[in-house]
mmCIF file of all heavy atoms in Angstrom:
data_model
loop_
_atom_site.group_PDB
_atom_site.id
_atom_site.type_symbol
_atom_site.label_atom_id
_atom_site.label_comp_id
_atom_site.label_asym_id
_atom_site.label_seq_id
_atom_site.Cartn_x
_atom_site.Cartn_y
_atom_site.Cartn_z
ATOM 1 N N LYS W 1 0.829 -1.213 0.000
ATOM 2 C CA LYS W 1 -0.001 0.002 -0.001
ATOM 3 C C LYS W 1 0.863 1.259 0.000
ATOM 4 O O LYS W 1 0.541 2.242 -0.688
ATOM 5 C CB LYS W 1 -0.911 -0.006 1.220
ATOM 6 C CG LYS W 1 -2.021 -1.044 1.156
ATOM 7 C CD LYS W 1 -2.891 -0.954 2.399
ATOM 8 C CE LYS W 1 -4.024 -1.982 2.341
ATOM 9 N NZ LYS W 1 -4.900 -1.903 3.538
ATOM 10 N N PHE W 2 1.943 1.260 0.726
ATOM 11 C CA PHE W 2 2.812 2.435 0.770
ATOM 12 C C PHE W 2 3.460 2.682 -0.587
ATOM 13 O O PHE W 2 3.565 3.820 -1.046
ATOM 14 C CB PHE W 2 3.882 2.232 1.845
ATOM 15 C CG PHE W 2 4.802 3.397 2.009
ATOM 16 C CD1 PHE W 2 4.427 4.479 2.793
ATOM 17 C CD2 PHE W 2 6.035 3.437 1.369
ATOM 18 C CE1 PHE W 2 5.278 5.570 2.944
ATOM 19 C CE2 PHE W 2 6.870 4.525 1.510
ATOM 20 C CZ PHE W 2 6.492 5.591 2.299
ATOM 21 N N ARG W 3 3.921 1.619 -1.226
ATOM 22 C CA ARG W 3 4.543 1.785 -2.548
ATOM 23 C C ARG W 3 3.549 2.279 -3.586
ATOM 24 O O ARG W 3 3.899 3.047 -4.474
ATOM 25 C CB ARG W 3 5.155 0.457 -2.993
ATOM 26 C CG ARG W 3 6.422 0.080 -2.225
ATOM 27 C CD ARG W 3 6.954 -1.261 -2.677
ATOM 28 N NE ARG W 3 8.231 -1.565 -2.021
ATOM 29 C CZ ARG W 3 8.910 -2.706 -2.201
ATOM 30 N NH1 ARG W 3 8.403 -3.655 -3.002
ATOM 31 N NH2 ARG W 3 10.055 -2.893 -1.581
ATOM 32 N N ALA W 4 2.295 1.825 -3.471
ATOM 33 C CA ALA W 4 1.280 2.267 -4.430
ATOM 34 C C ALA W 4 0.936 3.739 -4.242
ATOM 35 O O ALA W 4 0.581 4.431 -5.210
ATOM 36 C CB ALA W 4 0.022 1.417 -4.282
ATOM 37 N N ALA W 5 1.056 4.243 -3.029
ATOM 38 C CA ALA W 5 0.662 5.628 -2.756
ATOM 39 C C ALA W 5 1.811 6.609 -2.932
ATOM 40 O O ALA W 5 1.578 7.826 -2.834
ATOM 41 C CB ALA W 5 0.116 5.737 -1.338
ATOM 42 N N ASN W 6 3.029 6.165 -3.196
ATOM 43 C CA ASN W 6 4.173 7.061 -3.306
ATOM 44 C C ASN W 6 4.987 6.717 -4.548
ATOM 45 O O ASN W 6 4.817 5.654 -5.169
ATOM 46 C CB ASN W 6 5.067 6.934 -2.069
ATOM 47 C CG ASN W 6 4.366 7.369 -0.807
ATOM 48 O OD1 ASN W 6 4.309 8.544 -0.494
ATOM 49 N ND2 ASN W 6 3.799 6.408 -0.069
ATOM 50 N N ASN W 7 5.866 7.692 -4.927
ATOM 51 C CA ASN W 7 6.741 7.509 -6.084
ATOM 52 C C ASN W 7 7.808 6.496 -5.705
ATOM 53 O O ASN W 7 8.800 6.834 -5.061
ATOM 54 C CB ASN W 7 7.366 8.848 -6.481
ATOM 55 C CG ASN W 7 8.141 8.739 -7.797
ATOM 56 O OD1 ASN W 7 8.303 7.664 -8.357
ATOM 57 N ND2 ASN W 7 8.615 9.881 -8.285
ATOM 58 N N ILE W 8 7.608 5.291 -6.122
ATOM 59 C CA ILE W 8 8.480 4.217 -5.698
ATOM 60 C C ILE W 8 9.877 4.347 -6.268
ATOM 61 O O ILE W 8 10.862 3.934 -5.667
ATOM 62 C CB ILE W 8 7.851 2.842 -6.076
ATOM 63 C CG1 ILE W 8 8.650 1.708 -5.412
ATOM 64 C CG2 ILE W 8 7.826 2.687 -7.589
ATOM 65 C CD1 ILE W 8 8.617 1.775 -3.934
ATOM 66 N N ILE W 9 9.999 4.987 -7.460
ATOM 67 C CA ILE W 9 11.323 5.121 -8.094
ATOM 68 C C ILE W 9 12.195 6.062 -7.275
ATOM 69 O O ILE W 9 13.355 5.770 -6.973
ATOM 70 C CB ILE W 9 11.170 5.632 -9.540
ATOM 71 C CG1 ILE W 9 10.393 4.603 -10.378
ATOM 72 C CG2 ILE W 9 12.543 5.905 -10.156
ATOM 73 C CD1 ILE W 9 10.134 5.052 -11.800
ATOM 74 N N THR W 10 11.608 7.218 -6.878
ATOM 75 C CA THR W 10 12.380 8.180 -6.081
ATOM 76 C C THR W 10 12.759 7.579 -4.728
ATOM 77 O O THR W 10 13.860 7.770 -4.220
ATOM 78 C CB THR W 10 11.564 9.463 -5.876
ATOM 79 O OG1 THR W 10 11.206 9.990 -7.150
ATOM 80 C CG2 THR W 10 12.367 10.494 -5.102
ATOM 81 N N ILE W 11 11.822 6.854 -4.167
ATOM 82 C CA ILE W 11 12.062 6.289 -2.836
ATOM 83 C C ILE W 11 13.098 5.170 -2.878
ATOM 84 O O ILE W 11 14.017 5.108 -2.066
ATOM 85 C CB ILE W 11 10.742 5.789 -2.234
ATOM 86 C CG1 ILE W 11 9.822 6.989 -1.979
ATOM 87 C CG2 ILE W 11 10.969 5.016 -0.948
ATOM 88 C CD1 ILE W 11 8.448 6.606 -1.489
ATOM 89 N N THR W 12 12.962 4.277 -3.860
ATOM 90 C CA THR W 12 13.878 3.126 -3.925
ATOM 91 C C THR W 12 15.285 3.537 -4.304
ATOM 92 O O THR W 12 16.244 2.842 -3.982
ATOM 93 C CB THR W 12 13.353 2.083 -4.925
ATOM 94 O OG1 THR W 12 13.110 2.742 -6.188
ATOM 95 C CG2 THR W 12 12.062 1.459 -4.436
ATOM 96 N N ASN W 13 15.441 4.685 -5.047
ATOM 97 C CA ASN W 13 16.799 5.149 -5.347
ATOM 98 C C ASN W 13 17.533 5.583 -4.096
ATOM 99 O O ASN W 13 18.756 5.586 -4.041
ATOM 100 C CB ASN W 13 16.761 6.309 -6.341
ATOM 101 C CG ASN W 13 16.437 5.817 -7.755
ATOM 102 O OD1 ASN W 13 16.661 4.655 -8.081
ATOM 103 N ND2 ASN W 13 15.892 6.710 -8.575
ATOM 104 N N GLY W 14 16.752 6.015 -3.119
ATOM 105 C CA GLY W 14 17.372 6.415 -1.861
ATOM 106 C C GLY W 14 18.031 7.772 -1.912
ATOM 107 O O GLY W 14 18.781 8.130 -1.016
ATOM 108 N N ASN W 15 17.805 8.565 -3.015
ATOM 109 C CA ASN W 15 18.421 9.884 -3.146
ATOM 110 C C ASN W 15 17.378 10.951 -2.878
ATOM 111 O O ASN W 15 16.371 11.040 -3.584
ATOM 112 C CB ASN W 15 19.012 10.082 -4.543
ATOM 113 C CG ASN W 15 20.126 9.085 -4.837
ATOM 114 O OD1 ASN W 15 20.895 8.763 -3.942
ATOM 115 N ND2 ASN W 15 20.197 8.609 -6.073
ATOM 116 N N ASN W 16 17.609 11.803 -1.985
ATOM 117 C CA ASN W 16 16.696 12.891 -1.658
ATOM 118 C C ASN W 16 17.179 14.126 -2.416
ATOM 119 O O ASN W 16 17.985 14.906 -1.936
ATOM 120 C CB ASN W 16 16.687 13.146 -0.152
ATOM 121 C CG ASN W 16 15.508 13.994 0.271
ATOM 122 O OD1 ASN W 16 14.956 14.728 -0.528
ATOM 123 N ND2 ASN W 16 15.151 13.901 1.546
ATOM 124 N N ALA W 17 16.663 14.307 -3.733
ATOM 125 C CA ALA W 17 17.088 15.426 -4.576
ATOM 126 C C ALA W 17 16.704 16.753 -3.958
ATOM 127 O O ALA W 17 17.421 17.754 -4.102
ATOM 128 C CB ALA W 17 16.467 15.285 -5.977
ATOM 129 N N ALA W 18 15.573 16.812 -3.307
ATOM 130 C CA ALA W 18 15.144 18.058 -2.665
ATOM 131 C C ALA W 18 16.144 18.476 -1.601
ATOM 132 O O ALA W 18 16.439 19.667 -1.444
ATOM 133 C CB ALA W 18 13.753 17.879 -2.061
ATOM 134 N N ALA W 19 16.692 17.513 -0.873
ATOM 135 C CA ALA W 19 17.673 17.841 0.145
ATOM 136 C C ALA W 19 18.956 18.385 -0.475
ATOM 137 O O ALA W 19 19.551 19.345 0.032
ATOM 138 C CB ALA W 19 17.973 16.609 0.995
ATOM 139 N N GLN W 20 19.393 17.797 -1.619
ATOM 140 C CA GLN W 20 20.591 18.297 -2.290
ATOM 141 C C GLN W 20 20.380 19.703 -2.847
ATOM 142 O O GLN W 20 21.240 20.584 -2.725
ATOM 143 C CB GLN W 20 20.997 17.333 -3.413
ATOM 144 C CG GLN W 20 21.376 15.935 -2.920
ATOM 145 C CD GLN W 20 21.718 14.997 -4.054
ATOM 146 O OE1 GLN W 20 21.674 15.388 -5.233
ATOM 147 N NE2 GLN W 20 22.057 13.754 -3.707
ATOM 148 N N PHE W 21 19.219 19.923 -3.492
ATOM 149 C CA PHE W 21 18.920 21.251 -4.032
ATOM 150 C C PHE W 21 18.821 22.284 -2.912
ATOM 151 O O PHE W 21 19.245 23.434 -3.059
ATOM 152 C CB PHE W 21 17.600 21.199 -4.819
ATOM 153 C CG PHE W 21 17.333 22.446 -5.634
ATOM 154 C CD1 PHE W 21 18.052 22.696 -6.795
ATOM 155 C CD2 PHE W 21 16.410 23.373 -5.216
ATOM 156 C CE1 PHE W 21 17.817 23.857 -7.533
ATOM 157 C CE2 PHE W 21 16.171 24.525 -5.948
ATOM 158 C CZ PHE W 21 16.883 24.768 -7.119
ATOM 159 N N LEU W 22 18.289 21.839 -1.738
ATOM 160 C CA LEU W 22 18.194 22.732 -0.587
ATOM 161 C C LEU W 22 19.584 23.143 -0.098
ATOM 162 O O LEU W 22 19.805 24.317 0.236
ATOM 163 C CB LEU W 22 17.424 22.034 0.542
ATOM 164 C CG LEU W 22 17.285 22.811 1.858
ATOM 165 C CD1 LEU W 22 16.498 24.090 1.643
ATOM 166 C CD2 LEU W 22 16.605 21.952 2.916
ATOM 167 N N ASN W 23 20.526 22.236 -0.108
ATOM 168 C CA ASN W 23 21.895 22.569 0.289
ATOM 169 C C ASN W 23 22.507 23.602 -0.655
ATOM 170 O O ASN W 23 23.194 24.540 -0.227
ATOM 171 C CB ASN W 23 22.769 21.317 0.323
ATOM 172 C CG ASN W 23 22.385 20.384 1.458
ATOM 173 O OD1 ASN W 23 21.862 20.836 2.476
ATOM 174 N ND2 ASN W 23 22.642 19.091 1.297
ATOM 175 N N ASN W 24 22.235 23.443 -1.983
ATOM 176 C CA ASN W 24 22.753 24.403 -2.960
ATOM 177 C C ASN W 24 22.158 25.790 -2.753
ATOM 178 O O ASN W 24 22.854 26.808 -2.839
ATOM 179 C CB ASN W 24 22.480 23.925 -4.376
ATOM 180 C CG ASN W 24 23.251 22.654 -4.704
ATOM 181 O OD1 ASN W 24 24.325 22.413 -4.126
ATOM 182 N ND2 ASN W 24 22.728 21.832 -5.615
ATOM 183 N N LEU W 25 20.843 25.836 -2.482
ATOM 184 C CA LEU W 25 20.190 27.130 -2.259
ATOM 185 C C LEU W 25 20.744 27.818 -1.009
ATOM 186 O O LEU W 25 20.968 29.039 -1.005
ATOM 187 C CB LEU W 25 18.674 26.942 -2.123
ATOM 188 C CG LEU W 25 17.913 26.566 -3.404
ATOM 189 C CD1 LEU W 25 16.445 26.356 -3.081
ATOM 190 C CD2 LEU W 25 18.049 27.650 -4.469
ATOM 191 N N GLN W 26 20.945 27.055 0.032
ATOM 192 C CA GLN W 26 21.483 27.639 1.254
ATOM 193 C C GLN W 26 22.896 28.167 1.026
ATOM 194 O O GLN W 26 23.265 29.225 1.540
ATOM 195 C CB GLN W 26 21.482 26.596 2.376
ATOM 196 C CG GLN W 26 20.079 26.242 2.869
ATOM 197 C CD GLN W 26 20.093 25.134 3.892
ATOM 198 O OE1 GLN W 26 21.089 24.434 4.024
ATOM 199 N NE2 GLN W 26 18.971 24.955 4.599
ATOM 200 N N SER W 27 23.703 27.451 0.238
ATOM 201 C CA SER W 27 25.052 27.922 -0.073
ATOM 202 C C SER W 27 25.001 29.214 -0.884
ATOM 203 O O SER W 27 25.762 30.158 -0.624
ATOM 204 C CB SER W 27 25.811 26.834 -0.841
ATOM 205 O OG SER W 27 27.087 27.289 -1.219
ATOM 206 N N LEU W 28 24.109 29.277 -1.864
ATOM 207 C CA LEU W 28 23.969 30.486 -2.683
ATOM 208 C C LEU W 28 23.489 31.665 -1.846
ATOM 209 O O LEU W 28 23.960 32.801 -2.006
ATOM 210 C CB LEU W 28 22.994 30.215 -3.829
ATOM 211 C CG LEU W 28 22.750 31.382 -4.803
ATOM 212 C CD1 LEU W 28 24.062 31.815 -5.459
ATOM 213 C CD2 LEU W 28 21.737 30.991 -5.872
ATOM 214 N N ARG W 29 22.571 31.401 -0.914
ATOM 215 C CA ARG W 29 22.083 32.489 -0.065
ATOM 216 C C ARG W 29 23.211 33.046 0.799
ATOM 217 O O ARG W 29 23.330 34.272 0.968
ATOM 218 C CB ARG W 29 20.961 31.974 0.821
ATOM 219 C CG ARG W 29 20.376 33.042 1.728
ATOM 220 C CD ARG W 29 19.268 32.498 2.591
ATOM 221 N NE ARG W 29 19.744 31.421 3.458
ATOM 222 C CZ ARG W 29 18.980 30.733 4.300
ATOM 223 N NH1 ARG W 29 17.699 31.018 4.398
ATOM 224 N NH2 ARG W 29 19.492 29.772 5.038
ATOM 225 N N GLU W 30 24.070 32.218 1.310
ATOM 226 C CA GLU W 30 25.177 32.694 2.117
ATOM 227 C C GLU W 30 26.143 33.514 1.270
ATOM 228 O O GLU W 30 26.705 34.519 1.726
ATOM 229 C CB GLU W 30 25.902 31.513 2.771
ATOM 230 C CG GLU W 30 25.072 30.752 3.776
ATOM 231 C CD GLU W 30 24.593 31.671 4.888
ATOM 232 O OE1 GLU W 30 25.368 32.555 5.328
ATOM 233 O OE2 GLU W 30 23.437 31.496 5.329
ATOM 234 N N THR W 31 26.329 33.082 -0.003
ATOM 235 C CA THR W 31 27.203 33.857 -0.898
ATOM 236 C C THR W 31 26.634 35.246 -1.145
ATOM 237 O O THR W 31 27.359 36.261 -1.111
ATOM 238 C CB THR W 31 27.379 33.104 -2.221
ATOM 239 O OG1 THR W 31 27.932 31.808 -1.947
ATOM 240 C CG2 THR W 31 28.311 33.856 -3.160
ATOM 241 N N GLN W 32 25.327 35.325 -1.408
ATOM 242 C CA GLN W 32 24.690 36.625 -1.655
ATOM 243 C C GLN W 32 24.759 37.513 -0.425
ATOM 244 O O GLN W 32 24.957 38.729 -0.536
ATOM 245 C CB GLN W 32 23.229 36.404 -2.073
ATOM 246 C CG GLN W 32 23.067 35.692 -3.420
ATOM 247 C CD GLN W 32 23.675 36.479 -4.577
ATOM 248 O OE1 GLN W 32 23.603 37.718 -4.616
ATOM 249 N NE2 GLN W 32 24.293 35.769 -5.525
ATOM 250 N N ARG W 33 24.610 36.919 0.741
ATOM 251 C CA ARG W 33 24.709 37.718 1.958
ATOM 252 C C ARG W 33 26.121 38.252 2.154
ATOM 253 O O ARG W 33 26.320 39.376 2.624
ATOM 254 C CB ARG W 33 24.309 36.874 3.164
ATOM 255 C CG ARG W 33 22.801 36.626 3.236
ATOM 256 C CD ARG W 33 22.472 35.792 4.445
ATOM 257 N NE ARG W 33 21.016 35.629 4.577
ATOM 258 C CZ ARG W 33 20.416 34.883 5.519
ATOM 259 N NH1 ARG W 33 21.178 34.238 6.387
ATOM 260 N NH2 ARG W 33 19.115 34.797 5.575
ATOM 261 N N THR W 34 27.121 37.457 1.758
ATOM 262 C CA THR W 34 28.506 37.924 1.835
ATOM 263 C C THR W 34 28.741 39.108 0.896
ATOM 264 O O THR W 34 29.379 40.113 1.257
ATOM 265 C CB THR W 34 29.461 36.769 1.500
ATOM 266 O OG1 THR W 34 29.222 35.679 2.395
ATOM 267 C CG2 THR W 34 30.916 37.193 1.616
ATOM 268 N N ILE W 35 28.230 38.992 -0.334
ATOM 269 C CA ILE W 35 28.364 40.101 -1.300
ATOM 270 C C ILE W 35 27.666 41.342 -0.781
ATOM 271 O O ILE W 35 28.162 42.471 -0.927
ATOM 272 C CB ILE W 35 27.789 39.674 -2.668
ATOM 273 C CG1 ILE W 35 28.637 38.509 -3.245
ATOM 274 C CG2 ILE W 35 27.771 40.833 -3.639
ATOM 275 C CD1 ILE W 35 28.062 37.908 -4.501
ATOM 276 N N LEU W 36 26.484 41.138 -0.145
ATOM 277 C CA LEU W 36 25.737 42.275 0.376
ATOM 278 C C LEU W 36 26.543 43.014 1.446
ATOM 279 O O LEU W 36 26.576 44.262 1.467
ATOM 280 C CB LEU W 36 24.410 41.783 0.953
ATOM 281 C CG LEU W 36 23.421 42.861 1.401
ATOM 282 C CD1 LEU W 36 23.006 43.740 0.220
ATOM 283 C CD2 LEU W 36 22.177 42.215 2.016
ATOM 284 N N GLU W 37 27.229 42.276 2.308
ATOM 285 C CA GLU W 37 28.045 42.907 3.330
ATOM 286 C C GLU W 37 29.224 43.651 2.711
ATOM 287 O O GLU W 37 29.615 44.737 3.154
ATOM 288 C CB GLU W 37 28.536 41.859 4.325
ATOM 289 C CG GLU W 37 27.436 41.221 5.156
ATOM 290 C CD GLU W 37 26.725 42.247 6.017
ATOM 291 O OE1 GLU W 37 27.391 43.205 6.479
ATOM 292 O OE2 GLU W 37 25.512 42.085 6.224
ATOM 293 N N GLU W 38 29.823 43.087 1.651
ATOM 294 C CA GLU W 38 30.932 43.764 0.972
ATOM 295 C C GLU W 38 30.475 45.067 0.326
ATOM 296 O O GLU W 38 31.196 46.081 0.352
ATOM 297 C CB GLU W 38 31.549 42.842 -0.076
ATOM 298 C CG GLU W 38 32.289 41.642 0.533
ATOM 299 C CD GLU W 38 32.850 40.724 -0.540
ATOM 300 O OE1 GLU W 38 32.569 40.978 -1.733
ATOM 301 O OE2 GLU W 38 33.561 39.755 -0.190
ATOM 302 N N LEU W 39 29.272 45.066 -0.241
ATOM 303 C CA LEU W 39 28.745 46.290 -0.862
ATOM 304 C C LEU W 39 28.519 47.373 0.187
ATOM 305 O O LEU W 39 28.762 48.564 -0.074
ATOM 306 C CB LEU W 39 27.448 45.989 -1.600
ATOM 307 C CG LEU W 39 27.595 45.202 -2.917
ATOM 308 C CD1 LEU W 39 26.237 44.863 -3.495
ATOM 309 C CD2 LEU W 39 28.405 45.994 -3.941
ATOM 310 N N LYS W 40 28.041 46.967 1.359
ATOM 311 C CA LYS W 40 27.836 47.954 2.416
ATOM 312 C C LYS W 40 29.160 48.606 2.801
ATOM 313 O O LYS W 40 29.228 49.826 3.005
ATOM 314 C CB LYS W 40 27.213 47.282 3.636
ATOM 315 C CG LYS W 40 25.768 46.867 3.418
ATOM 316 C CD LYS W 40 25.222 46.217 4.678
ATOM 317 C CE LYS W 40 23.771 45.784 4.473
ATOM 318 N NZ LYS W 40 23.208 45.142 5.686
ATOM 319 N N LEU W 41 30.207 47.835 2.884
ATOM 320 C CA LEU W 41 31.516 48.396 3.194
ATOM 321 C C LEU W 41 32.026 49.290 2.068
ATOM 322 O O LEU W 41 32.654 50.337 2.306
ATOM 323 C CB LEU W 41 32.509 47.266 3.468
ATOM 324 C CG LEU W 41 32.227 46.401 4.703
ATOM 325 C CD1 LEU W 41 33.226 45.247 4.775
ATOM 326 C CD2 LEU W 41 32.313 47.241 5.975
ATOM 327 N N ALA W 42 31.784 48.875 0.809
ATOM 328 C CA ALA W 42 32.241 49.669 -0.347
ATOM 329 C C ALA W 42 31.527 51.011 -0.414
ATOM 330 O O ALA W 42 32.120 52.044 -0.746
ATOM 331 C CB ALA W 42 32.035 48.878 -1.629
ATOM 332 N N ILE W 43 30.216 51.037 -0.132
ATOM 333 C CA ILE W 43 29.468 52.298 -0.152
ATOM 334 C C ILE W 43 30.011 53.239 0.915
ATOM 335 O O ILE W 43 30.109 54.461 0.700
ATOM 336 C CB ILE W 43 27.972 52.022 0.043
ATOM 337 C CG1 ILE W 43 27.419 51.302 -1.184
ATOM 338 C CG2 ILE W 43 27.197 53.302 0.312
ATOM 339 C CD1 ILE W 43 25.992 50.825 -1.028
ATOM 340 N N ALA W 44 30.373 52.710 2.024
ATOM 341 C CA ALA W 44 30.893 53.559 3.097
ATOM 342 C C ALA W 44 32.226 54.190 2.715
ATOM 343 O O ALA W 44 32.539 55.312 3.136
ATOM 344 C CB ALA W 44 31.018 52.747 4.380
ATOM 345 N N ASN W 45 33.043 53.524 1.899
ATOM 346 C CA ASN W 45 34.358 54.054 1.500
ATOM 347 C C ASN W 45 34.626 53.598 0.080
ATOM 348 O O ASN W 45 35.222 52.546 -0.148
ATOM 349 C CB ASN W 45 35.430 53.560 2.465
ATOM 350 C CG ASN W 45 36.748 54.305 2.269
ATOM 351 O OD1 ASN W 45 36.962 55.016 1.289
ATOM 352 N ND2 ASN W 45 37.656 54.124 3.236
ATOM 353 N N VAL W 46 34.164 54.432 -0.856
ATOM 354 C CA VAL W 46 34.292 54.072 -2.274
ATOM 355 C C VAL W 46 35.750 54.029 -2.684
ATOM 356 O O VAL W 46 36.180 53.132 -3.427
ATOM 357 C CB VAL W 46 33.491 55.061 -3.150
ATOM 358 C CG1 VAL W 46 33.691 54.749 -4.636
ATOM 359 C CG2 VAL W 46 32.026 55.007 -2.787
ATOM 360 N N ASN W 47 36.542 54.959 -2.215
ATOM 361 C CA ASN W 47 37.941 55.042 -2.615
ATOM 362 C C ASN W 47 38.689 53.780 -2.196
ATOM 363 O O ASN W 47 39.435 53.202 -2.984
ATOM 364 C CB ASN W 47 38.579 56.281 -1.994
ATOM 365 C CG ASN W 47 40.008 56.483 -2.507
ATOM 366 O OD1 ASN W 47 40.307 56.261 -3.677
ATOM 367 N ND2 ASN W 47 40.885 56.912 -1.598
ATOM 368 N N ALA W 48 38.468 53.323 -0.928
ATOM 369 C CA ALA W 48 39.137 52.108 -0.471
ATOM 370 C C ALA W 48 38.662 50.905 -1.259
ATOM 371 O O ALA W 48 39.442 50.009 -1.589
ATOM 372 C CB ALA W 48 38.882 51.909 1.024
#
């Protein structure tokens, strides 16, 4: 009954693609936040 009610191919592969994509998104968000902090510093001192 459980196999009939769920995507058996995704489950039997044992790979959680959503979890991998979530890790990539979290990494990208941290990168954007880093760039945002650098821009704040640059605006404060354009010459530097």
Side-chain angles (χ1 to χ4, degrees):
K1 289 181 179 181
F2 182 83
R3 288 178 175 178
N6 297 277
N7 188 354
I8 190 62
I9 297 177
T10 303
I11 294 175
T12 53
N13 286 337
N15 297 323
N16 195 337
Q20 297 178 0
F21 191 73
L22 177 63
N23 291 333
N24 294 333
L25 289 177
Q26 290 175 344
S27 177
L28 181 59
R29 181 180 61 182
E30 295 302 321
T31 302
Q32 294 299 323
R33 287 180 176 177
T34 303
I35 296 173
L36 187 61
E37 294 298 326
E38 291 178 355
L39 287 175
K40 290 180 180 180
L41 295 175
I43 292 173
N45 192 347
V46 176
N47 186 38

